[in-house]
Amino acid sequence: MNNGPINNYPFTLKVPEGDDRERHVCGDCGWINYINPKIVAGAVITHGDKFLICRRAIEPRVGYWTIPAGYLEAGEAPDEGAMREAEEEANAKIEIDALLAMYSIKRISQIHMMYRARLLDPNVSAGEESLEVAMVTWDEIPWQDLAFPTITWAFNHYREVVDQISFQPFTNPADSDLAVR
Amino acid sequence: MNNGPINNYPFTLKVPEGDDRERHVCGDCGWINYINPKIVAGAVITHGDKFLICRRAIEPRVGYWTIPAGYLEAGEAPDEGAMREAEEEANAKIEIDALLAMYSIKRISQIHMMYRARLLDPNVSAGEESLEVAMVTWDEIPWQDLAFPTITWAFNHYREVVDQISFQPFTNPADSDLAVR
């Protein structure tokens, strides 16, 4: 994580005036290092009956399979972030269809926004952060080798609304003990 | 904004290895100050035919009307953030019903998640960040004195789905020139 206070810098943990919780405050200039959740944007991407998956070339979970997803950048909308990640990780051009799910991984302060998207061009290939990419049917999804719980959740939630246009985005599965809300 | 680099600290702007854009990197320890969008969580809160509004006691837009909303805290889910803000700004206990909208204010890197919620107890009162609170009908909403465009959008989008249970969250209005996506 890159959110912690910096060694040797004059931050102290205190409650700023008008606030109700401790923050890292700079003793020199009063700057407050607010730490807020980060957004991860990704997409379940299909072409016909196949799903786009990528094998991770970077930590964490090198070698495991994922869907294109990553940290939202400053000045970016979540759907734009999902499109950028598809391009970066799989050279995939996609069209976003719906907001499939919004998961909260509170332990690490991440909000995962997962979209439903269609692949516009079946030619995909591994980007720098992927070892390889593949188009697989539902039965070929490597369930035991998926990188993160939210990837499993997103696939399963995708299937629940596969024929629906209008639905509320899913949140964390109630029965999950992997990332309690 | 509290996201900038810190005066006199040894940050330089450069592209870290494996990255594709400039970041503020510490010359001493290599720590990278990633700047990511912040989430604002809020809710359109109703009781019968009335809407809960708060007059802001803090900058920006002191004296203008808003719905309870504020920055999501570390370790918090967005719906929890919306509930906390309702409590802090209006001493309001609410029940969240649906994700009404997700707006992107790219210019200031904010993602606004607006929920639809019901007030569980009609007794509300101004919290520290509010000058006063009020329960108003649709026709009494002070449209000209709302604090932010997203508040106006949220009210209008609320009305579009008032009788719907299952719908996709709204995004920025296409015809808005106030916060272009």
Side-chain angles (χ1 to χ4, degrees):
Chain A
M1 299 297 297
N2 291 301
N3 260 335
I6 304 163
N7 282 340
N8 303 320
Y9 289 170
F11 285 103
T12 53
L13 203 58
K14 68 177 189 180
V15 180
E17 192 183 325
D19 204 339
D20 63 355
R21 64 191 74 200
E22 288 187 323
R23 315 282 182 185
H24 291 278
V25 180
C26 177
D28 285 350
C29 69
W31 185 81
I32 302 167
N33 184 27
Y34 289 102
I35 297 176
N36 300 95
K38 286 185 191 287
I39 295 170
V40 169
V44 174
I45 301 166
T46 57
H47 191 258
D49 65 345
K50 300 215 167 162
F51 296 86
L52 171 61
I53 56 173
C54 311
R55 204 152 72 84
R56 290 174 64 84
I58 55 171
E59 292 289 359
R61 303 285 278 166
V62 168
Y64 286 84
W65 292 91
T66 185
I67 57 178
Y71 287 118
L72 194 64
E73 296 282 359
E76 203 172 46
D79 55 345
E80 293 172 341
M83 287 188 282
R84 175 182 50 73
E85 292 288 343
E87 177 90 39
E88 285 180 5
E89 299 183 3
N91 293 300
K93 302 240 183 263
I94 64 172
E95 180 179 49
I96 299 243
D97 167 57
L99 178 59
L100 177 65
M102 189 168 73
Y103 305 123
S104 302
I105 314 299
K106 303 200 315 188
R107 184 177 54 83
I108 51 174
S109 284
Q110 289 185 357
I111 309 297
H112 290 211
M113 295 185 192
M114 298 300 198
Y115 287 90
R116 184 172 72 179
R118 284 181 295 269
L119 193 58
L120 293 175
D121 177 344
N123 291 303
V124 293
S125 58
E128 279 198 17
E129 298 180 1
S130 304
L131 295 171
E132 59 178 315
V133 298
M135 297 297 301
V136 296
T137 64
W138 179 263
D139 291 333
E140 292 167 346
I141 292 172
W143 297 103
Q144 301 308 312
D145 293 319
L146 294 179
F148 308 107
T150 53
I151 310 302
T152 309
W153 302 350
F155 278 131
N156 282 309
H157 284 152
Y158 172 90
R159 214 173 200 204
E160 283 190 46
V161 290
V162 69
D163 293 320
Q164 290 179 48
I165 293 168
S166 218
F167 57 90
Q168 274 280 294
F170 290 90
T171 55
N172 298 28
D175 61 353
S176 170
D177 58 357
L178 291 169
V180 176
R181 283 232 9 210
Chain B
M1 299 298 295
N2 291 302
N3 262 336
I6 305 164
N7 281 340
N8 303 321
Y9 290 172
F11 285 104
T12 54
L13 203 59
K14 68 176 189 181
V15 179
E17 194 184 324
D19 205 340
D20 63 355
R21 64 192 71 201
E22 289 187 321
R23 314 281 181 185
H24 292 278
V25 180
C26 177
D28 286 350
C29 68
W31 186 81
I32 302 168
N33 185 26
Y34 289 103
I35 298 177
N36 301 95
K38 286 183 192 287
I39 295 171
V40 170
V44 174
I45 301 165
T46 56
H47 191 258
D49 65 344
K50 300 214 166 162
F51 296 85
L52 171 61
I53 56 174
C54 310
R55 204 152 72 85
R56 290 174 64 83
I58 55 171
E59 292 291 358
R61 301 287 276 165
V62 168
Y64 286 84
W65 292 90
T66 185
I67 58 178
Y71 286 119
L72 194 63
E73 296 283 357
E76 202 173 48
D79 55 345
E80 294 172 340
M83 286 188 281
R84 175 182 50 73
E85 292 288 344
E87 176 89 38
E88 285 179 7
E89 298 183 4
N91 294 301
K93 302 242 183 261
I94 65 173
E95 179 178 49
I96 299 245
D97 169 57
L99 179 59
L100 177 65
M102 190 167 71
Y103 305 123
S104 302
I105 313 299
K106 303 200 316 189
R107 182 177 55 82
I108 50 173
S109 283
Q110 289 184 356
I111 309 297
H112 290 209
M113 295 185 192
M114 298 299 199
Y115 288 90
R116 183 172 73 178
R118 284 182 295 270
L119 192 58
L120 294 175
D121 177 343
N123 292 303
V124 293
S125 58
E128 278 198 17
E129 298 181 0
S130 304
L131 296 171
E132 59 179 314
V133 298
M135 298 297 301
V136 296
T137 64
W138 179 263
D139 291 332
E140 292 166 345
I141 290 172
W143 298 102
Q144 301 309 311
D145 292 320
L146 294 179
F148 309 107
T150 52
I151 311 300
T152 309
W153 301 350
F155 278 130
N156 282 309
H157 284 152
Y158 171 90
R159 213 172 201 205
E160 283 190 44
V161 290
V162 69
D163 293 321
Q164 291 180 47
I165 292 168
S166 217
F167 57 90
Q168 275 279 296
F170 290 90
T171 55
N172 298 27
D175 59 355
S176 171
D177 58 356
L178 291 169
V180 177
R181 284 234 5 211

